[in-house]
Amino acid sequence: MKVILTGSAGQLGLALRSSVPDLIASEPVELVPTSRNGGDGVLALDLADAAACRDLVEQHRPDWLINAGAYTAVDQSESEPELARAVNAGAPSAFAEALQATGGRLLQLSTDFVFNGSQGAPYTTDQGVDPLGVYGSTKAAGETASAAALSAERLCILRTSWVYGPVGHNFLLTMLRLMAQREQLGVVADQVGCPTATSGLACACWAVLEHGVAGVQHWSDAGVASWYDFALAIAEIGQAAGLLEKPARINPITTADYPTPAERPSYSLLDCTSSRAALQLPPHHWREALGQVIAQVAA
Ligand SMILES: NC(=O)c1ccc[n+]([C@@H]2O[C@H](COP(=O)([O-])OP(=O)(O)OC[C@H]3O[C@@H](n4cnc5c(N)ncnc54)[C@H](OP(=O)(O)O)[C@@H]3O)[C@@H](O)[C@H]2O)c1
């Protein structure tokens, strides 16, 4: 089974590259990783170049393409909407068109930020989207464009939330750095969602390919947290793991106290019940996953 992976230098891409199964659906796996700059066995691909995205599929004719690459700088996207749209909507659209012609399948990663966060209950996979900012709008446009171009049974849209891992740019690593440098830290307590470790998310991606899952799916770790809860757990577990001698005091603040260019959903929990059944994967609580990731960072 030939699998193209985009964004292979990103958080999820790295987790996918380090967990490639020997066999998927009883076939040996040939992974074709791509990243912005390429090198060292990785092909260079600019996701803002739709023609290059189409050419790659036509040349390699993969069984699956996992589109883990994205413009993920949520605040910066407000001042670069065209680039964000080209990467987050143009690339999946081009991949879907080309895969429709070659007969391949697409796993398109998407986000809880396609929802406005106002319903105050977990979002199910069949609910309509209503993004608040440029990032969420462009990711939602990527979902719509890929669904318009590719047969439904060959497309899986996997939405996830609050992704972090032992490498890359993420909340865990930022908090560990700031907690070691400062005495006090204000962290937003009125945005609620669920952290998701890249290791579990990578397992979910491979399960999509293994079971040939299609449609809109939701995957996050289990449980609920505010960013404040997440930060407190990082301090506690990070200190126990020896990463922090005396962590900064964490104070709860409101979204209004910490204005950002992009508006974020205040409640973006994803209901993963039906997807856990489809992917045949058990729930894994976010605190347990956090402990495992912190142990990796400390090793
Ligand atoms: N991070 C989250 O909290 C979160 C939450 C929900 C959903 N998601 C989704 O999950 C997926 C994986 O996210 P992640 O956390 O692994 O993101 P990430 O660490 O930011 O990785 C994204 C990768 O895409 C690459 N990329 C961006 N623009 C590109 C371009 N024009 N050409 C080629 N490559 C480009 C980036 O390369 P550079 O580093 O060179 O820019 C980066 O390696 C994405 O679809 C994202 O939207 C993420």
Side-chain angles (χ1 to χ4, degrees):
M1 178 179 287
K2 193 169 193 176
V3 181
I4 291 180
L5 170 65
T6 72
S8 75
Q11 298 190 82
L12 173 60
L14 289 168
L16 283 164
R17 276 170 73 186
S18 65
S19 62
V20 182
D22 291 335
L23 299 175
I24 295 180
S26 310
E27 283 184 52
V29 182
E30 181 193 347
L31 188 75
V32 181
T34 79
S35 70
R36 187 197 297 272
N37 299 322
D40 200 17
V42 175
L43 299 179
L45 177 70
D46 180 0
L47 292 170
D49 183 343
C53 292
R54 270 189 294 272
D55 286 351
L56 183 84
V57 171
E58 283 159 14
Q59 192 190 335
H60 289 274
R61 305 182 72 83
D63 298 290
W64 277 93
L65 188 151
I66 305 177
N67 188 25
Y71 185 116
T72 54
V74 175
D75 288 321
Q76 202 178 321
S77 70
E78 297 293 319
S79 50
E80 287 186 321
E82 277 127 37
L83 180 57
R85 187 161 293 272
V87 174
N88 290 346
S93 174
F95 289 140
E97 268 175 39
L99 289 163
Q100 180 67 15
T102 60
R105 292 173 171 226
L106 176 62
L107 169 51
Q108 170 62 21
L109 272 295
S110 194
T111 170
D112 55 333
F113 279 30
V114 297
F115 297 116
N116 65 22
S118 65
Q119 80 174 13
Y123 286 95
T124 55
T125 52
D126 56 358
Q127 287 194 255
V129 303
D130 181 23
L132 295 174
V134 169
Y135 170 69
S137 301
T138 58
K139 291 296 288 185
E143 294 186 1
T144 309
S146 48
L150 187 57
S151 308
E153 70 280 6
R154 286 199 272 131
L155 172 64
C156 179
I157 291 168
L158 185 63
R159 296 190 189 124
T160 186
S161 64
W162 297 23
V163 176
Y164 73 97
V167 287
H169 300 286
N170 61 55
F171 185 80
L172 165 66
L173 299 178
T174 303
M175 281 294 126
L176 286 174
R177 179 170 44 81
L178 294 178
M179 284 173 189
Q181 288 168 352
R182 298 197 189 164
E183 299 227 317
Q184 298 208 29
L185 209 55
V187 180
V188 171
D190 59 358
Q191 286 171 28
V192 171
C194 190
T196 302
T198 49
S199 49
L201 179 58
C203 279
C205 291
W206 293 126
V208 167
L209 274 59
E210 173 68 31
H211 303 300
V213 173
V216 177
Q217 305 295 337
H218 285 176
W219 183 267
S220 68
D221 285 330
V224 186
S226 67
W227 292 109
Y228 172 64
D229 296 324
F230 192 17
L232 284 179
I234 291 167
E236 184 191 319
I237 301 172
Q239 188 173 24
L243 288 176
L244 298 164
E245 209 172 295
K246 183 175 176 290
R249 179 186 166 77
I250 318 291
N251 300 312
I253 61 170
T254 66
T255 301
D257 294 329
Y258 188 72
T260 52
E263 192 183 349
R264 288 159 165 76
S266 59
Y267 185 105
S268 62
L269 215 60
L270 299 171
D271 182 337
C272 301
T273 318
S274 59
S275 299
R276 288 201 182 102
L279 300 175
Q280 301 176 36
L281 290 173
H284 193 191
H285 194 273
W286 67 263
R287 261 190 79 100
E288 196 186 337
L290 177 63
Q292 290 164 358
V293 177
I294 286 180
Q296 270 180 279
V297 176

